[in-house]
Amino acid sequence: MRIPIELKLLENEILSSWLIRNSIANGSEPSSWVSGIWHNFRAWTRDIDRHLPKDKINKLSKITSLSREQIRAMTLEPIFEKITSDRSLNPKKTWLFVIPTGNRGTTKINGMHFCKECFKEKTPYIRKEWRFAWNVACAKHKELLLCRCQNCNKAFSPHKVDYINTQIYKCTNCSYDLRLSDVIIANNEVIKFQNKLNDAVFNDIIDTEFPILEKNQYELFSTIRAFISFFKYLKRIKKRYTLFEKINFHEELNLSKYPKGTTFESMSVIDRQKLLLLVSKLFTLNIDEIKQLLTETHISKKTLLEQVFVTSKTLDYLAENLVNHNNKISSIDKSVKIKPRSKDEVEALMDEIRPFI
């Protein structure tokens, strides 16, 4: 038996968005409608946009015109496989670059981002790219994405719409029209950078000017993630290197406000934009210019790689001739006591390790 009304899949539409729109079109609300498809499967307390089990994909394919491949393509899993080169993904663990949703009961406490201007269009829906952490702005409207109602501060929860109040642009807690939200205009450098990253994952087009040794998604995103960790580490241990000045970065970036264990993916859109601006400025240089910059600003091999847990050939190349403080230990007077790491250094290290534990 097929669903009575099936809506057309829109460009880059994410799975949950398509399910929500179809539930309304069929005169139901998302929770009941999805329960009718997948019995005893609590879809809205899971991140089905990240990963949908094969048996659930098969069931949905049988009652719609969509193939199993089309349904899986609505999730983030195929893209994540490309940027990590990992074909054995664990849906229970943190995924790099994927903004986590998190739940309190059936309420999403984070992760569903949107553009208020896109919601003014004829058919508002949620795009896949809004779940990836390098997307901080709407590429079309040049505004930072939102994830909360400005009237009641509740997380955007479109899966809680009902058959009476069917508009996803209305807050499901207080009915505020999210299209009236205040916005911040995005940094143009960051918009250009995120668009190039989207081209890499959605269109397999990698900018040939990017300072990476191999032009593939894994090399690109592992290098970017390493630089994000590197910049976070510099700020966390409060070392003010001239590197920031040399790449013309003068933004205030305060990471101390975040609790221990906060990852890049869980940061606010404003702070993610600042970190991406740092990386984008570095990416205007070629690889040997970056290497020279690291040398001139006295970045050690240890400092560069201290927070790196997803390495790349580019990072290995940049680090190979940097001073390694560890090599100097043997020449130090044995009577000199080696001091333990500071609390800030330990916390910075744990911030990056925790998702992999």
Side-chain angles (χ1 to χ4, degrees), residues 255-270:
L255 302 182
S256 62
K257 61 187 175 185
Y258 291 106
K260 184 169 61 176
T262 302
T263 62
F264 169 71
E265 293 77 13
S266 297
M267 289 181 174
S268 72
V269 69
I270 292 176

Side-chain angles (χ1 to χ4, degrees), residues 105-120:
T106 58
T107 302
K108 299 290 184 185
I109 58 176
N110 181 43
M112 297 302 289
H113 285 67
F114 65 92
C115 167
K116 72 157 193 174
E117 296 299 325
C118 287
F119 279 2
K120 294 178 182 178

Side-chain angles (χ1 to χ4, degrees), residues 217-231:
Q217 286 95 338
Y218 174 79
E219 185 73 12
L220 172 61
F221 286 95
S222 58
T223 301
I224 289 173
R225 195 61 176 77
F227 276 126
I228 287 172
S229 299
F230 167 62
F231 288 132

Side-chain angles (χ1 to χ4, degrees), residues 7 15 24 45 69-70 103 109 117 127 129-130 141 144 162 166 206 223 252 258 263 271 296 300 307 311 314 328 333:
L7 300 180
L15 177 62
I24 298 302
T45 61
E69 291 74 21
Q70 286 176 306
N103 292 282
I109 58 176
E117 296 299 325
R127 296 175 175 272
E129 57 261 38
W130 294 346
H141 298 108
L144 291 186
D162 57 44
T166 62
I206 298 178
T223 301
E252 180 61 34
Y258 291 106
T263 62
D271 288 327
E296 290 177 353
S300 69
Q307 303 296 299
T311 190
T314 301
K328 294 184 177 182
D333 187 340

Side-chain angles (χ1 to χ4, degrees), residues 76-120:
L76 308 178
E77 192 168 25
I79 296 174
F80 186 76
E81 288 177 346
K82 285 200 295 186
I83 66 178
T84 61
S85 296
D86 189 348
R87 304 294 174 181
S88 56
L89 303 174
N90 187 338
K92 295 182 179 180
K93 289 188 177 182
T94 300
W95 288 9
L96 290 180
F97 283 117
V98 176
I99 300 174
T101 53
N103 292 282
R104 188 174 290 118
T106 58
T107 302
K108 299 290 184 185
I109 58 176
N110 181 43
M112 297 302 289
H113 285 67
F114 65 92
C115 167
K116 72 157 193 174
E117 296 299 325
C118 287
F119 279 2
K120 294 178 182 178

Side-chain angles (χ1 to χ4, degrees), residues 234-250:
L234 290 186
K235 297 300 292 184
R236 178 75 71 178
I237 62 176
K238 301 175 182 178
K239 288 189 175 181
R240 299 189 177 277
Y241 289 105
T242 54
L243 185 149
F244 296 101
E245 296 178 2
K246 283 185 174 291
I247 60 175
N248 198 30
F249 178 83
H250 305 290

Side-chain angles (χ1 to χ4, degrees), residues 176-192:
Y176 178 73
D177 190 332
L178 300 172
R179 298 173 302 177
L180 302 177
S181 302
D182 298 325
V183 293
I184 298 174
I185 302 300
N187 181 285
N188 196 48
E189 287 182 65
V190 174
I191 290 176
K192 290 179 180 179

Side-chain angles (χ1 to χ4, degrees), residues 322-339:
L322 295 178
V323 175
N324 190 342
H325 293 322
N326 289 337
N327 292 338
K328 294 184 177 182
I329 293 177
S330 60
S331 63
I332 298 176
D333 187 340
K334 300 296 182 181
S335 64
V336 177
K337 293 184 178 180
I338 300 176
K339 295 182 179 180

